[in-house]
Amino acid sequence: MRSFLRKLGAGKLLLQHVIQPSQAIRMLLRDTDADIRYLFLQHIQKKRARTLASTPAASLAPNYWGTCELIEIAAKDFPSGHAVWDVGACYGTWAVLAKSLIPHAPLVCIEPLPEHLSKIREKEPLLRPCTIIEAAVGAHSGTVNIHRTNRADASSVLPLGDAARAAYQLEQTEQFPVTLLTLDEILHRAPHPPALLKLDVQGYELEALKGAQKVLETCRHLIIELSFVELYRGQPLAADIISWLNQHGFHPIALGAETELATPLVQADVFFRKNLE
């Protein structure tokens, strides 16, 4: 009975926004949490579509809207004269999402792989003003090898771990040297300091943060993809990064809307806010 009432309440809400009556009936006849999870995600996607209508992000596939709600938190008190930095920009799709939700903010896209940079430059008309920097980021400057994998968004300075191979069927295809810079060095090159920094560098997050002491002084918000299992050999896990950021005045306040509940986490987008008191 409790499960039925819970589903009835969820069905009433979602029926107003998302689903057809036949879907609601099927949901009530079955007794699976997967139904409610599916309908919740449908509701989130409908809401995102309304938010992003008539913005550049409307042209993106919905699977690129994952941090929409987290960016909206930062947009509420985004200071003028500051930028959004996209570190590990890949194809620039997250940068398009950020520009759509914080249109007045300049962008800085940082990415080491040449084929990804060409995709970002194709999107540059949607991102302006935008500064594009070709580099990996770490605690020190120099040169570092990138381990390219068979999935575009999974290449890393760190070698693949067994968990990544098993969970995502990833394999390393080659490795080659790229320029390594600290975020503090990039701060001197970029025209605007960040108020929001997104960090998606496949297990190298803590090294990137160690090279961002001055950047973190200007930054109010962070969005970081954290791992709860070792996908890359030697990578710090979520608890290590949260602890380090706590010591530097940042605290986690939100998870991405698509974070799985009541199941062991592998990765999650986490929003951090600076303690300004």
Side-chain angles (χ1 to χ4, degrees), residues 84 86 89-92 95 106-114 116-125 127-135 181 186 189-191:
V84 174
D86 184 0
C90 196
Y91 291 153
L107 277 164
V108 175
C109 292
I110 304 165
E111 169 60 41
L113 295 181
H116 293 177
L117 289 162
S118 66
K119 296 291 186 181
I120 296 171
R121 292 188 177 102
E122 290 175 7
K123 295 180 177 69
E124 193 171 1
L127 303 176
R128 292 173 183 158
C130 178
T131 301
I132 300 172
I133 294 176
E134 182 175 357
L181 297 175
I186 292 172
R189 302 186 185 191

Side-chain angles (χ1 to χ4, degrees), residues 61-117:
N63 58 298
Y64 290 114
W65 297 347
T67 58
C68 181
E69 294 78 19
L70 301 184
I71 299 171
E72 288 179 308
I73 297 173
K76 291 175 182 177
D77 61 348
F78 202 92
S80 61
H82 286 67
V84 174
W85 284 23
D86 184 0
V87 184
C90 196
Y91 291 153
T93 47
W94 186 90
V96 172
L97 182 62
K99 173 59 74 172
S100 298
L101 294 168
I102 315 178
H104 63 279
L107 277 164
V108 175
C109 292
I110 304 165
E111 169 60 41
L113 295 181
E115 67 271 24
H116 293 177
L117 289 162

Side-chain angles (χ1 to χ4, degrees), residues 3-4 6-8 10 23 26-40:
S3 175
F4 178 82
R6 179 165 56 86
K7 288 193 173 191
L8 188 62
Q23 290 178 288
R26 286 198 298 272
M27 183 189 76
L28 292 171
L29 290 175
R30 294 187 302 203
D31 188 25
T32 63
D33 288 337
D35 291 322
I36 290 180
R37 172 72 179 166
Y38 169 78
L39 293 171
F40 170 74

Side-chain angles (χ1 to χ4, degrees), residues 157-168:
V157 171
L158 300 175
L160 279 174
D162 293 337
R165 289 188 171 91
Y168 302 113

